[in-house]
Amino acid sequence: MFNPTKKSFTSLSSREFEQYSLDILKEQTAELEDVYFAHDKIMESHDGNYQIDGYIEFTVIDVRYKTLIECKHYKSSITREKVVLLHDKLKSLGAQKGILISTSNFQSGAMQYAEVHGIALIQLTEAATSYELRESFNIITASGRKPFNYGKPYSGVLVTNDEHGISCSYLSRNNTKLSIFLLE
């Protein structure tokens, strides 16, 4: 798999990266009612305790939904195994959704597994970083503009597979694709 951004590794510390990632998610879930966020949460399950980088709980039509967030501050590509581990945590903890946020790109196996198991993949990139295009299969389709995040230094990019290849969607106050994912 190739890296969709020219510069994907940010200068944030791991903890700053986790907090910044949660801030982007807070913007995406602003219209949800009764939303609870936690950072660096220890959760108990029948098979042991799990450390979760981020956690979101919200209520829709009197049903409480749980979302687990894993943040990977890596220089190397995210492998399928990292997504499998998040899926295992979802099952053990009874969560409905998972989000994996990374400073690097995702290998094709990771993207395929995430798509099948309903896990959102987000790459944190510097705002105003252009996307590189590829002229073969797996073309990155974007709007042709640079990600903009209202003066913030980094932007989240939702990375998905679709019938045209890889689609990148810039997350900001005006783009609610992640919120739609959580409610599906």
Side-chain angles (χ1 to χ4, degrees):
M1 196 66 201
F2 57 93
N3 191 341
T5 57
K6 290 180 180 176
K7 185 175 183 181
S8 65
F9 191 73
T10 67
S11 61
L12 299 172
S13 71
S14 293
R15 185 160 185 82
E16 289 170 331
F17 169 67
E18 290 170 2
Q19 290 171 330
Y20 197 94
S21 297
L22 289 178
D23 287 344
I24 288 175
L25 297 179
K26 285 178 185 176
E27 286 180 356
Q28 289 289 298
T29 58
E31 77 285 349
L32 296 175
E33 294 181 26
D34 194 24
V35 179
Y36 165 75
F37 275 86
H39 176 238
D40 197 18
K41 183 175 178 70
I42 302 296
M43 298 181 71
E44 293 183 29
S45 175
H46 64 282
D47 60 355
N49 293 340
Y50 293 93
Q51 184 277 331
I52 305 298
D53 295 331
Y55 178 76
I56 306 171
E57 246 184 56
F58 59 93
T59 303
V60 176
I61 312 173
D62 292 328
V63 177
R64 197 76 179 152
Y65 291 92
K66 299 182 216 174
T67 303
L68 307 181
I69 299 108
E70 284 294 316
C71 299
K72 303 297 180 197
H73 193 254
Y74 291 177
K75 289 183 181 179
S76 60
S77 298
I78 300 300
T79 63
R80 180 181 189 273
E81 288 74 24
K82 297 295 182 197
V83 183
V84 171
L85 286 172
L86 176 55
H87 184 249
D88 288 346
K89 288 180 183 182
L90 290 172
K91 291 188 299 187
S92 290
L93 295 168
Q96 289 77 23
K97 294 287 182 171
I99 301 171
L100 197 151
I101 303 176
S102 173
T103 49
S104 64
N105 63 314
F106 301 92
Q107 293 180 357
S108 59
M111 292 177 67
Q112 291 165 355
Y113 189 90
E115 183 178 18
V116 168
H117 295 283
I119 295 172
L121 301 177
I122 298 173
Q123 184 176 14
L124 193 70
T125 186
E126 290 188 55
T129 299
S130 296
Y131 278 79
E132 296 175 3
L133 300 177
R134 229 168 108 148
E135 301 211 8
S136 60
F137 184 72
N138 282 343
I139 292 175
I140 292 180
T141 56
S143 64
R145 61 185 169 82
K146 296 179 178 183
F148 173 74
N149 199 8
Y150 301 93
K152 295 181 181 178
Y154 301 104
S155 179
V157 180
L158 184 65
V159 180
T160 55
N161 279 322
D162 62 22
E163 65 273 6
H164 304 293
I166 299 169
S167 178
C168 299
S169 180
Y170 314 117
L171 301 178
S172 70
R173 296 187 284 217
N174 296 329
N175 181 346
T176 59
K177 283 192 177 185
L178 188 64
S179 181
I180 294 166
F181 161 80
L182 290 173
L183 295 173
E184 289 178 333

